[in-house]
Amino acid sequence: MRPIAVIIGLLSAAAVCSFAFFNDFIMRQTFLVGNYMPISVYGGLLLFLLFVNPLLLKASRRLALTSRDLAVIIALTLAACYVPGRGLMHYFGTFLMLPHKYARTTPGWKEAGVMDLVPKPMLADVSQDESTALNGFVQGLGSGTQHMAFSRIPWGAWTRTLAFWLPLLAAFSVAMIALALVVHRQWSSYEQMPYPIVAFANALLPSEGEARGWVFGNRLFWIGCLVVLAIHLNNYAVEWWPRYLIRIERTFDFRSLSEGTALQRGWDYLLMNPTLYYTVIAFAFFLSTDVSFSLGIAGYLYAWVAGTLAGYGITLGGGGFVSLKMETFLFGGAYFGMFLVLLYTGRHYYLSVFRRGLFLRASEEVEREAVWAARVFLVCAALFALQLFLVGLDWYLAILYTAGAAIIFTVISRVVAETGVFYIHSYHFPCVILWGFLGAKALGPKAMLIMFMVTSLLLIDPREAVMPFMVQAFQLADSNRARLGKVAVWSVAALVLAFAVAVPATLYWSYDQGSGRASDGWTANVPKMAFDATVSAMEKLKAQGSLAEAGKLSGWAWFRELTPNGPCVLAFFIALGLTLSFAAARLRFPRWPLHPILFLVLATWQSRCFAFSFLIGCLVKVAVTKYGGAAAYQRLKPLMIGVIAGDMLGGLLPMIIGAISYLVWGEPPKRFMVFPS
């Protein structure tokens, strides 16, 4: 690792964190990060390799960045990508401040006294200067085109809550970086996961003595890249000059085919009104057929099942995002089942790693960095659980919550590594699973509220999370001969830098513009979820006459008062059984056509967006291999890499043009989306 690569990587991480909130909510462009394949990172890599690295190589061989340098830079940037966007900062400020506003206007909160249950460090403090801290946050302190001074941020309102949340989030994030390093060798070397996103990046990176990767010299790469780029630039130009240009449609309406069917009752809008996503089609071409086919049919199959059950009065979904519903437990069972599969397949390696991490003898030799990563994971996970305990959560709930969160991110990371699905949501939460298995009376309103609040910042939208990013980062670094231990250490530094840059930047723009402008419907709604769910549980307990003793039971009385939700628990074990059965069938029968990932994605909004494109990509692969054979399949790989590159450039160039137009005219530019926001 050259020092220049580390320096550029840290600067890149800081740039993403300083600019993301401004780009996303002030200029309102395509999210700078947005998913596990950030256009800003991979599009920026393309531009650098096209225009900058050749000039550096021409000037001096030492100035040009090698594949190892670029892998380190990308890895450190990915380590920071969790912080500034949907993963955290999009709703960090609104969640910590807006409950004070909603408490004024929501009668149910006042009647239940839910704000009195909140541990004081978990929300911003508005007691000293409510006018500036709360009203300024909502209305904005800037005036017209005059931005407020950075010194006007009321740090006094944020000091206490930042002192609680930042160590909590940092402990969990470092634990996830360590866990990503623990699983790396098992997934990369022993199970030979394809890592499609990393494979795309590696095709771009230069070989020894070159400025660019091999794929830039392939004609099919440029055909795929330029065709897709032309489509995107044409459609972006239509946003500016709709009277003179014609849009090339990517969205198709097939809803008439499902009218009156179970599919329609199962919410088929995105499925039957699909948009083509070229990167998804390309990734489906690279994946094994059972994986791409399963990702394609999951949404349609679930919609048909849900619609059929709805005809009999059985509802799988509905309710609030963190409410008790069967759909949540279907996802929970599927994720737990996949986690068990991962433990089983890697049982010998993981046992050796953690035994050596605990200074015990192990049957296998394992990498030194994996042993240290296991120790860091255990320590940081314990610190995370300890902080939850100190704020008022019982120790066993703190441990169960920590384990549940780690399971979710581990499975998401596996999905990204195995399938390249770069836009995924888990759609279940440890707090809701515990609620369904134990009951509100056993948990108590305060414990439920604490877990719901932690979920609102840690898990509410895991489309950007540190572990899936780091799984990619370690694979990219390892495949380019960078030392993983050093990459891990510098990744922690990049993460700390990300918090240091993103928090002030986010608070500044929130106070300058006001949360009404510097947010969207989702980020304004997240602060309500924890409190609405707690109030709902309290109202049911009150109606049952159990509110007074809820959460105060101990000993055998606690076990006697467990009230699991029957339908939800049943849904959990059905999904668990199906996931384990499909995983076993896939290992036992070579021609088994379906992958258990089907149950991990089911009918999330994200999977519905991509389902049609996965089916198209699967069809293209089947046709190519059937009529052209393995040789044709190999020849077309550069074409598909070019298609992905076209998407990256087609998303990045409008962002650059939009930023320039904002600087010139001072107004939000035309918004253009390559991927769903």
Side-chain angles (χ1 to χ4, degrees):
M1 288 174 57
R2 291 200 296 170
I4 186 63
V6 174
I7 293 171
I8 295 176
L10 294 176
L11 291 176
S12 176
V16 169
C17 292
S18 62
F19 186 63
F21 194 85
F22 178 79
N23 173 85
D24 299 349
F25 281 152
I26 308 303
M27 293 196 298
R28 296 192 175 274
Q29 298 204 88
T30 297
F31 290 161
L32 202 67
V33 179
N35 53 60
Y36 291 117
M37 193 175 185
I39 287 176
S40 57
V41 175
Y42 293 100
L45 173 64
L46 274 163
L47 288 182
F48 179 84
L49 292 173
L50 282 171
F51 301 110
V52 181
N53 216 36
L55 296 178
L56 294 177
L57 182 62
K58 191 174 182 178
S60 170
R61 193 184 185 95
R62 290 181 57 82
L63 289 177
L65 296 184
T66 65
S67 61
R68 184 185 304 175
D69 295 332
L70 291 168
V72 170
I73 292 168
I74 295 171
L76 300 189
T77 307
L78 291 177
C81 279
Y82 145 68
V83 177
R86 269 297 197 253
L88 182 61
M89 282 298 146
H90 274 191
Y91 41 80
F92 184 80
T94 55
F95 175 78
L96 297 180
M97 182 59 73
L98 290 188
H100 293 295
K101 173 193 173 186
Y102 296 140
R104 299 172 176 173
T105 57
T106 309
W109 291 19
K110 294 180 180 179
E111 184 178 347
V114 69
M115 291 294 287
D116 297 330
L117 300 175
V118 181
K120 290 185 178 180
M122 296 188 77
L123 288 179
D125 181 12
V126 299
S127 60
Q128 296 182 358
D129 188 0
E130 184 172 335
S131 176
T132 302
L134 177 57
N135 297 342
F137 185 87
V138 174
Q139 299 169 7
L141 299 177
S143 177
T145 58
Q146 296 296 317
H147 297 293
M148 75 173 209
F150 185 81
S151 58
R152 293 194 63 190
I153 298 176
W155 289 107
W158 295 91
T159 304
R160 183 181 66 188
T161 195
L162 292 178
F164 168 76
W165 282 108
L166 292 184
L168 184 79
L169 295 170
F172 190 81
S173 299
V174 174
M176 292 300 99
I177 292 176
L179 188 57
L181 188 52
V182 168
V183 303
H184 167 71
R185 189 60 58 200
Q186 173 66 26
W187 292 1
S188 175
S189 300
Y190 303 147
E191 297 184 48
Q192 295 287 307
M193 289 296 102
Y195 292 89
I197 299 174
V198 176
F200 164 74
N202 276 331
L204 304 178
L205 296 182
S207 55
E208 188 68 29
E210 300 291 334
R212 304 174 182 140
W214 65 268
V215 76
F216 287 93
N218 189 287
R219 182 180 300 175
L220 287 177
F221 168 82
W222 287 108
I223 291 174
C225 178
L226 294 177
V227 168
V228 172
L229 178 59
I231 292 172
H232 289 317
L233 292 183
N234 173 79
N235 290 348
Y236 181 55
V238 171
E239 299 295 327
W240 289 89
W241 303 290
R243 295 177 58 186
Y244 305 105
L245 297 171
I246 300 175
R247 182 183 306 277
I248 300 174
E249 288 296 339
R250 296 165 53 210
T251 302
F252 307 93
D253 192 346
F254 303 128
R255 285 175 292 176
S256 61
L257 300 177
S258 63
E259 287 184 4
T261 66
L263 197 64
Q264 187 181 46
R265 292 194 298 272
W267 193 62
D268 69 340
Y269 176 74
L270 289 173
L271 297 170
M272 300 304 291
N273 192 47
T275 298
L276 287 179
Y277 295 103
Y278 305 121
T279 293
V280 176
I281 294 172
F283 278 154
F285 184 83
F286 292 124
L287 298 175
S288 61
T289 305
D290 65 328
V291 173
S292 56
F293 181 65
S294 298
L295 290 167
I297 69 164
Y300 294 95
L301 183 61
Y302 182 82
W304 178 78
V305 171
T308 300
L309 292 176
Y312 292 97
I314 302 174
T315 303
L316 298 179
F321 202 58
V322 291
S323 63
L324 283 178
K325 52 188 175 183
M326 294 176 67
E327 185 178 63
T328 297
F329 286 76
L330 288 172
F331 284 105
Y335 269 67
F336 186 62
M338 181 56 69
F339 182 73
L340 292 179
V341 172
L342 299 182
L343 284 183
Y344 178 77
T345 54
R347 61 193 182 280
H348 299 298
Y349 177 77
Y350 299 140
L351 183 60
S352 296
V353 169
F354 279 99
R355 283 185 64 85
R356 291 188 179 276
L358 294 172
F359 303 98
L360 301 174
R361 291 183 179 180
S363 58
E364 296 182 18
E365 288 294 329
V366 292
E367 301 79 8
R368 184 169 177 267
E369 60 265 20
V371 174
W372 278 103
R375 293 168 183 164
V376 172
F377 167 73
L378 292 173
V379 170
C380 289
L383 287 174
F384 177 79
L386 177 62
Q387 290 177 85
L388 294 181
F389 171 74
L390 293 176
V391 84
L393 199 62
D394 289 328
W395 65 269
Y396 53 88
L397 293 178
I399 293 173
L400 289 173
Y401 186 94
T402 304
I407 288 171
I408 289 174
F409 289 126
T410 301
V411 175
I412 290 177
S413 301
R414 176 57 173 242
V415 172
V416 174
E418 188 169 356
T419 71
V421 174
F422 54 89
Y423 191 31
I424 185 172
H425 199 300
S426 58
Y427 267 58
H428 77 283
F429 314 99
C431 49
V432 179
I433 301 299
L434 290 171
W435 182 10
F437 271 89
L438 304 180
K441 186 175 181 180
L443 294 175
K446 184 173 182 178
M448 294 177 69
L449 180 59
I450 291 173
M451 289 190 290
F452 287 144
M453 292 181 72
V454 175
T455 295
S456 296
L457 284 187
L458 190 69
L459 280 162
I460 205 68
D461 196 354
R463 61 193 275 178
E464 302 166 16
V466 67
M467 185 177 176
F469 278 127
M470 290 311 302
V471 164
Q472 298 179 58
F474 288 135
Q475 174 64 9
L476 184 63
D478 194 21
S479 59
N480 288 279
R481 307 176 309 282
R483 293 180 61 181
L484 295 186
K486 288 189 175 181
V487 172
V489 171
W490 283 110
S491 295
V492 172
L495 181 72
V496 173
L497 179 63
F499 280 113
V501 172
V503 170
T506 300
L507 292 181
Y508 173 79
W509 288 113
S510 296
Y511 274 103
D512 181 73
Q513 300 290 308
S515 63
R517 292 182 60 190
S519 65
D520 56 16
W522 170 252
T523 54
N525 193 46
V526 166
K528 302 178 183 178
M529 293 179 181
F531 298 89
D532 286 343
T534 304
V535 169
S536 174
M538 292 174 68
E539 289 174 347
K540 292 180 181 178
L541 289 171
K542 185 176 181 180
Q544 297 166 358
S546 305
L547 181 59
E549 63 266 26
K552 300 178 182 178
L553 304 174
S554 60
W556 290 109
W558 187 83
F559 290 96
R560 288 197 299 269
E561 295 301 331
L562 296 181
T563 53
N565 185 293
C568 290
V569 172
L570 177 62
F572 181 94
F573 283 106
I574 288 174
L576 172 63
L578 288 171
T579 303
L580 294 176
S581 299
F582 274 49
R586 189 169 184 261
L587 293 174
R588 178 66 178 83
F589 305 110
R591 293 198 166 193
W592 182 258
L594 296 173
H595 191 284
I597 194 174
L598 183 151
F599 302 106
L600 301 179
V601 298
L602 287 177
T604 63
W605 185 80
Q606 292 81 1
S607 71
R608 293 173 191 259
C609 287
F610 287 165
F612 186 75
S613 296
F614 269 115
L615 288 177
I616 295 296
C618 181
L619 180 62
V620 170
K621 179 181 179 179
V622 170
V624 168
T625 53
K626 181 176 181 179
Y627 297 107
Y633 175 74
Q634 293 297 328
R635 284 197 302 271
L636 287 180
K637 279 187 175 181
L639 175 69
M640 293 302 174
I641 295 174
V643 166
I644 301 171
D647 260 354
M648 295 298 105
L649 292 176
L652 183 63
L653 292 179
M655 292 169 65
I656 295 173
I657 294 170
I660 294 172
S661 72
Y662 184 88
L663 291 175
V664 174
W665 291 293
E667 296 181 0
K670 303 294 182 180
R671 196 174 191 187
F672 178 74
M673 296 290 179
V674 169
F675 300 137
S677 62

